[in-house]
Structure formats: structure tokens, C-alpha cells
Amino acid sequence: QQLVEERSKAFKSALEVGYIPLLRQLTRRGVPQAMRPQVYMKIMGVEVTDASVAYLEQLNASLKEYELVTDELFRLDVTITGNDDDYFVFEEMLSDTMSTLSRDPWLSHSCAVLSQANDKPYPDAYSRQAVVFPPCGIVPFRGIVMYATPFCYLFSDPADVYFTFRSVYANYCCRLHTVSSGTGDILQLSRQFEVVLQETNPALYFHLLEKGLPPLRIAFNWIVFGFAGYLEVDQILALWDRILAWDSLLLLPVLAAAILSFREERLLKCNTPEEMRHVLADASKLKVVLLLQLYLFPEIVPG
């Protein structure tokens, strides 16, 4: 209890100062649950002002004025995600967030990695908006709503949810489904996973290949969706603590390799892909921090 209080005080001091590097350093060991909203917003540079709220209202007004062909695709994905026991209570919030996101032209030029559809030079913002479709520049796909789900647990105010998620998406999530020549996209993360697993656990790596279930086929969806829909919500937030702390998505392939290695003994006894999938199906007891510690620093973790 004393340690929790000391860490809370450290976070409060860092928030008052507003020094992001210090906040990131503190976040490496996790963020107190009650302070996550403030910490995430500060690290991502999100400040919801009156102008921000007015901008959000303008986007919402466009939803009532006209409908786009992509609107139904976003709604369908929200409906499917709402069937999950962890997220059904947030179906309305997710629907509002994703609908607004689809109309936000800010994303079409502000994402860390732009899709081929909007990765082109335009003379001005009006020219871009006239060509890019949907306005956000993101063609909806099955599962895109999963990126927003963890943030519904952090905020009750729709504006806080929207602008925090928008910033996280623009800096991180867009890399997980976009192929680019830059660094940190899904191809490089996939390659990193295969390299890490093959170097640290070759026996398991080649066993999976031999039995007809390539390791990347297992881990790809984990990485693409940041383990949303697989790990428990508290563990997803613990993972996002570390992603924001290190400002890197490399923890995703490392965690994927750690999970497979943790299940190594049972996986090596499996002879069919179906048996392997069954072994990996239950993630309810997986703890992100412990898995990473066991995988990266096995010599200092007590047995």
C-alpha cells in the first residue's frame, strides 16, 4: 500500500510539472489504475478544450446530415465487437467513437503511417479532402473497432475517449494494419516476432512449422490488434502502459513470442494444429508483466 501511495505521488508530481520523459519513465513500471486517464492524455499530448469539443460536435453533425457507404461497415464491426462480454456495455460509446473517427479528416494527414490511398502530395487540405475517402483516410476492416475498446474503460466523457483514442491510433495503431517503407509497420513487427522466437526457442519454432501451424499464423492477429479480444482487459491496459512508456510497438512481437514459449511444454506434445489452438485458446490467466519478465530476464526472475 505504501509503495502504491509513493508511486501515485510521483505520478501526480510528474503530471503537475508536465514533463513527458519523466512520465514515460514512471510508466515503465505501470500506471495506477485511477491515474491512467490523466497519464495517457498527458503522454499523448491530448488536451480537450472548448475548440476540441466544438470540432467534435461539427463531426457529429455531419453524421446526421449525410451517410457514407463506409458508415454501415463501421457499424457492423461495432455490432460484432459488442457481442464480446467485455465490451457489450460500451457498444454505444464505440459506435459514436468510430462513427466520428470515420469523418475526421485530421487523420488523413496526421497518422504516423499513411495508407497508399492518402499517402500522396496534395496542394492543400481542401484538395486532399476532395479525393480521400472516407474522410479519415481509413478503409474500415473487420476488427478495427478493437483498437478503441481498451480506452472505453478509462474515460466516461465521449470527448476524452475520442481524442485520446485518435492520438493513440495516429501514433501507434495505424502501424499495425498498414504496410509501408518506414519503420515499425506490421511487416517489420511480424518479422521481429519470427526472428525473436526462432533465436530464443528454435525447438518450438520448428515444431510448430513441422506440425503445419507456422508461428506467425498464430501470432499475427495478436500483433495486429494489440492482443485486444485475446488478453483480459486489465492486461491489455498493462501492455499499453509499457507501449506508451517505451514509445514502441516492439513489445507486441516480444509478448507474442513470450506466450508461445510459456506454453512450450504443452505445445511440444501437440501433433495437430487443432490441439495447439486449443492449448492457446484460454488466455484468462496470462499476466503481461510476468510473461515479459520471464521471457526477457529469466535469470533474475525467482523460480
Side-chain angles (χ1 to χ4, degrees):
Q1 183 66 29
Q2 183 179 355
L3 180 60
V4 173
E5 291 178 358
E6 290 177 356
R7 284 187 55 74
S8 296
K9 288 180 180 178
F11 271 105
K12 288 179 182 177
S13 298
L15 285 168
E16 289 175 1
V17 174
Y19 188 50
I20 305 303
L22 176 58
L23 268 178
R24 288 190 187 275
Q25 185 175 5
L26 289 171
T27 302
R28 291 176 185 179
R29 296 175 60 189
V31 184
Q33 184 174 344
M35 303 193 73
R36 274 200 180 107
Q38 296 170 275
V39 172
Y40 279 27
M41 291 179 76
K42 181 63 72 172
I43 288 178
M44 298 311 302
V46 175
E47 184 177 355
V48 180
T49 63
D50 291 342
S52 303
V53 174
Y55 180 74
L56 191 61
E57 291 175 350
Q58 180 183 353
L59 294 175
N60 288 331
S62 71
L63 292 168
K64 300 175 182 179
E65 292 174 2
Y66 57 90
E67 186 160 327
L68 301 176
V69 68
T70 53
D71 290 349
E72 184 60 31
L73 297 177
F74 279 107
R75 284 195 292 266
L76 177 61
D77 199 34
V78 169
T79 301
I80 295 173
T81 303
N83 292 330
D84 191 306
D85 291 342
D86 288 329
Y87 306 121
F88 78 94
V89 294
F90 300 115
E91 185 170 350
E92 183 177 351
M93 181 180 289
L94 286 169
S95 180
D96 293 343
T97 299
M98 297 309 297
S99 296
T100 305
L101 190 84
S102 70
R103 302 298 178 95
D104 194 343
W106 180 88
L107 285 159
S108 67
H109 57 82
S110 300
C111 288
V113 177
L114 300 177
S115 67
Q116 293 181 354
N118 57 8
D119 188 14
K120 299 176 182 178
Y122 294 94
D124 51 55
Y126 295 104
S127 299
R128 176 183 290 274
Q129 292 179 27
V131 175
V132 174
F133 183 85
C136 63
I138 307 163
V139 178
F141 56 90
R142 171 69 183 94
I144 188 172
V145 176
M146 297 303 291
Y147 293 136
T149 50
F151 302 95
C152 292
Y153 279 86
L154 299 182
F155 306 98
S156 57
D157 186 280
D160 291 342
V161 174
Y162 179 73
F163 287 107
T164 303
F165 169 61
R166 186 183 75 164
S167 182
V168 170
Y169 178 89
N171 283 276
Y172 300 105
C173 299
C174 65
R175 300 177 186 272
L176 299 176
H177 64 86
T178 307
V179 176
S180 74
S181 59
T183 58
D185 69 352
I186 186 57
L187 287 182
Q188 294 188 350
L189 294 173
S190 298
R191 176 58 179 162
Q192 191 68 38
F193 162 75
E194 291 196 313
V195 169
V196 168
L197 184 62
Q198 188 172 350
E199 289 185 354
T200 59
N201 205 330
L204 177 60
Y205 181 88
F206 288 107
H207 174 75
L208 294 171
L209 284 178
E210 181 184 351
K211 298 304 179 181
L213 188 60
L216 186 58
R217 188 178 299 172
I218 301 171
F220 189 74
N221 277 355
W222 295 349
I223 297 171
V224 167
F225 297 111
F227 292 90
Y230 182 65
L231 294 177
E232 296 294 307
V233 176
D234 63 326
Q235 297 306 304
I236 295 172
L237 291 172
L239 176 59
W240 272 107
D241 287 353
R242 276 73 188 180
I243 291 173
L244 296 182
W246 294 100
D247 191 22
S248 172
L249 290 167
L250 285 176
L251 281 177
L252 296 178
V254 173
L255 179 59
I259 291 173
L260 291 182
S261 295
F262 180 69
R263 301 293 193 196
E264 174 186 9
E265 184 176 350
R266 294 178 61 188
L267 288 171
L268 288 176
K269 295 177 181 179
C270 297
N271 292 310
T272 66
E274 290 72 23
E275 291 176 349
M276 295 175 184
R277 292 191 179 95
H278 179 73
V279 167
L280 296 167
D282 183 13
S284 59
K285 297 182 180 180
L286 296 179
K287 305 298 181 185
V288 165
V289 175
L290 182 58
L291 282 168
L292 291 173
Q293 289 176 339
L294 286 170
Y295 192 69
L296 296 172
F297 312 107
E299 67 283 356
I300 64 173
V301 177

